[in-house]
Amino acid sequence: MDFILKKYGKYNFVNVKKKVLDAKTISTICGFIKKSKIAIDCKNIERFENSITVSLLYSLDIALINADPYIIAQAGLLGGKNFPKIYLNKDDYIKNKRQLVRRRFKLV
């Protein structure tokens, strides 16, 4: 397995060991966790594999925490109209506070 799962009440926090987050890893995570709130810790993640990964995060309502600015920008560019939930840390996710908003990028 490429991730570590930690449960805190009804919240599940996943620490991914890989540097590239892909759709296969997200599908594996969702296979272990049924109908619960999931947040992926992005400390080790350097990039997303493709736009399918970002749209899968959005459609499955998976949040990202501890994301670098590069990851946030890549999620905004690859997501198109869909932008996943991104929080600053674990406490903000639990309290549903300080969620990052989408920044509109235009390629010139």
Side-chain angles (χ1 to χ4, degrees), residues 6-73:
K6 294 180 183 178
K7 189 165 176 102
Y8 182 78
K10 62 181 178 179
Y11 302 100
N12 294 301
F13 296 99
V14 180
N15 189 358
V16 179
K17 297 178 187 178
K18 296 167 59 174
K19 294 186 182 225
V20 179
L21 186 62
D22 56 350
K24 181 180 175 186
T25 305
I26 295 171
S27 300
T28 307
I29 290 169
C30 290
F32 281 102
I33 304 168
K34 302 288 185 196
K35 294 184 181 177
S36 185
K37 296 187 176 191
I38 303 171
I40 296 178
D41 191 355
C42 296
K43 285 183 183 175
N44 298 331
I45 297 173
E46 293 180 359
R47 64 182 180 91
F48 297 113
E49 184 179 32
N50 52 22
S51 62
I52 296 170
T53 306
V54 178
S55 64
L56 190 61
L57 286 171
Y58 179 79
S59 65
L60 294 174
D61 198 30
I62 297 175
L64 302 175
I65 57 174
N66 295 331
D68 291 334
Y70 179 73
I71 296 291
I72 297 168

